[in-house]
Amino acid sequence: MPGGCSRGSAAGDGRLRLARLALVLLGWVSSSSPTSSASSSSSSAPFLASAVSAQPPLPGQCPAVCECSEAARTVKCVNRNLTEVPTDLPSYVRNLFLTGNQLAVLPAGAFARLPPLAELAALNLSGSRLEEVHAGAFEHLPSLRHLDLSHNPLAVLSPFAFSGSNASVSAPSPFVELILNHIVPPEDERNNRSFEGMVVAALRAGGALHGLHRLELASNHFLYLPRDVLAQLPSLRHLDLSNNSLVSLTYVSFRNLTHLESLHLEDNALKVLHNGTLAELQGLPHVRVFLDNNPWVCDCHMADMVAWLKETEVVQGKDQLTCAFPEQMRNRVLLELNSADLDCDPILPPSLQTSYVFLGIVLALIGAIFLLVLYLNRKGIKKWMHNIRDACRDHMEGYHYRYEINADPRLTNLSSNSDV
């Protein structure tokens, strides 16, 4: 029986080879047939071409404008001036670089493919001049964990950009790392919308980023952080808010960030951290806080923060923190201050003093000009006042005359008879 099976399989292979040879011969005969058969074959050519073009790209195919490495599961389409995401990306791609292009708009389902890009885990779109990211732009990417949208002037960021086109029914996204550094658009492209509010809406829509571990929002000119900006990010471990223009953290709560390990607040405009913020930071068990290069104002409001800095080990490089105002305290190390150094009546900076002096001079000049005008027109003003006085007197005399007539019945009857 084993021998029979082997002979049967060998005979089957021979028949298969003969069939393939017959097909090749038939193709050669049809190509050398008369013109009538050529015309019939030419009429079927468009159908064959359309059928071939309608086929999906091969799973291992690499776009012509990209560089692919199947071994590294990486595709790089860098600095190619692409205006849309290539449609023929290989399904094996795990790391996709689309940096330095001209994408402008990322519509819904921008990465929807057949077969789907099921293994894509890291997507870098930095520096691609993206201005709009629509709802559901990253749908159909079930394994996407790392997303970089840095250095794009995002004038429009949909609240459902990271959560899908319908956040109420979509599952939480798999994002672990979200890089949004330097995505602030020019002033004339903000459409009278709050940039901070737009970004925060995208971060907390639908609770899709509950599993996010790293969030970078550096260099975005943030003046403030809206309330509950971090409420939907309980798993956050690294938060970068450096190089913004944050003046205060009064309305920001870090209480629910129990896994937070690093908080970068360098190069902002922070003047003091109040007791509520200090207590929340001290309550985080693993956090390290970076506060370098902020213009600390060393007045009486700084006393609690100085005392906290001397006791805590949370702040990294705390011995390098120095005062910026007032002038006599400039470059004093915060850890070296005591309560006697922290005066509640700080001297204004010279620039502000100069401004107030200039304002006083201008107001005095305006007042002198006004008095001079009054003096030069004193006769006309006096005549005008007399005219007003005479007009008011005539009016009051007429009013008094009518009142006397109405009060005396005899005069009233006399007035009515004279009217008759």
Side-chain angles (χ1 to χ4, degrees):
M1 288 298 291
C5 291
S6 61
R7 286 192 297 272
S9 62
D13 292 342
R15 287 193 294 271
L16 182 59
R17 293 192 186 95
L18 289 175
R20 289 177 177 173
L21 180 60
L23 288 173
V24 171
L25 291 175
L26 285 173
W28 177 77
V29 170
S30 62
S31 64
S32 60
S33 62
T35 57
S36 60
S37 61
S39 62
S40 63
S41 63
S42 64
S43 63
S44 62
F47 172 77
L48 293 175
S50 62
V52 172
S53 63
Q55 293 179 354
L58 297 176
Q61 183 178 355
C62 182
V65 296
C66 304
E67 300 175 3
C68 304
S69 172
E70 185 171 0
R73 298 287 194 268
T74 300
V75 175
K76 294 182 178 180
C77 311
V78 178
N79 297 327
R80 298 294 185 177
N81 291 325
L82 300 176
T83 58
E84 60 181 11
V85 179
T87 58
D88 51 351
L89 292 170
S91 59
Y92 64 73
V93 61
R94 187 172 299 166
N95 306 297
L96 177 58
F97 295 85
L98 291 170
T99 61
N101 289 291
Q102 308 285 335
L103 296 180
V105 177
L106 208 60
F111 296 90
R113 301 291 184 273
L114 284 176
L117 304 177
E119 296 186 20
L120 183 58
L123 175 59
N124 192 331
L125 291 162
S126 62
S128 287
R129 306 207 173 201
L130 275 172
E131 298 178 1
E132 299 182 17
V133 178
H134 294 177
F138 305 102
E139 285 184 321
H140 311 290
L141 297 176
S143 301
L144 185 60
R145 296 168 64 83
H146 307 275
L147 175 62
D148 190 347
L149 291 174
S150 299
H151 300 280
N152 287 295
L154 293 181
V156 177
L157 181 64
S158 169
F160 306 118
F162 308 123
S163 59
S165 56
N166 189 351
S168 61
V169 299
S170 63
S173 68
F175 287 126
V176 172
E177 181 176 305
L178 184 58
I179 313 298
L180 299 174
N181 297 329
H182 203 285
I183 59 170
V184 59
E187 288 286 347
D188 56 348
E189 296 182 9
R190 296 192 187 185
N191 300 323
N192 295 324
R193 299 175 58 189
S194 167
F195 176 69
E196 293 90 346
M198 180 183 72
V199 174
V200 169
L203 292 178
R204 62 188 180 189
L209 300 177
H210 274 182
L212 193 66
H213 289 177
R214 176 180 290 273
L215 175 61
E216 296 187 13
L217 294 168
S219 304
N220 284 313
H221 301 172
F222 285 160
L223 296 174
Y224 70 98
L225 291 177
R227 293 180 182 273
D228 301 328
V229 59
L230 306 174
Q232 302 293 333
L233 307 173
S235 302
L236 205 59
R237 293 183 178 145
H238 305 280
L239 176 60
D240 190 351
L241 294 168
S242 61
N243 198 28
N244 283 289
S245 300
L246 297 175
V247 177
S248 172
L249 300 176
T250 304
Y251 302 110
V252 183
S253 176
F254 301 96
R255 188 178 297 109
N256 68 317
L257 303 182
T258 55
H259 302 286
L260 192 63
E261 298 176 4
S262 65
L263 174 60
H264 290 268
L265 294 167
E266 309 100 306
D267 298 290
N268 276 280
L270 296 172
K271 296 175 176 58
V272 65
L273 297 182
H274 296 288
N275 285 337
T277 303
L278 300 178
E280 289 189 356
L281 293 179
Q282 192 62 39
L284 301 178
H286 313 294
V287 72
R288 293 173 298 136
V289 182
F290 301 85
L291 296 172
D292 304 305
N293 299 324
N294 281 283
W296 304 110
V297 177
C298 295
D299 58 10
C300 64
H301 303 291
M302 177 64 71
D304 293 331
M305 179 177 171
V306 170
W308 178 74
L309 285 173
K310 292 179 179 179
E311 297 177 358
T312 187
E313 298 299 328
V314 166
V315 179
Q316 304 299 300
K318 61 181 181 179
D319 55 337
Q320 303 297 320
L321 303 181
T322 59
C323 302
F325 300 103
E327 182 64 29
Q328 71 272 18
M329 299 289 289
R330 188 182 297 274
N331 296 327
R332 291 279 303 273
V333 178
L334 296 187
L335 291 180
E336 298 176 358
L337 301 178
N338 52 51
S339 57
D341 297 322
L342 300 174
D343 189 3
C344 281
D345 187 19
I347 299 175
L348 293 174
S351 59
L352 291 180
Q353 293 179 4
T354 305
S355 299
Y356 284 124
V357 171
F358 180 74
L359 179 61
I361 293 173
V362 171
L363 292 177
L365 183 60
I366 293 174
I369 294 174
F370 179 72
L371 293 175
L372 180 62
V373 171
L374 291 179
Y375 177 76
L376 295 177
N377 292 276
R378 60 188 183 279
K379 294 183 179 179
I381 294 174
K382 185 176 181 180
K383 183 178 179 181
W384 178 69
M385 294 295 293
H386 286 173
N387 292 337
I388 292 178
R389 185 189 63 185
D390 293 341
C392 291
R393 184 171 56 191
D394 294 342
H395 180 75
M396 292 302 296
E397 287 179 354
Y399 178 79
H400 182 67
Y401 176 74
R402 287 194 298 272
Y403 174 77
E404 289 180 348
I405 292 177
N406 293 333
D408 192 338
R410 294 173 298 173
L411 296 178
T412 302
N413 296 332
L414 179 61
S415 177
S416 59
N417 292 334
S418 63
D419 290 341
V420 173

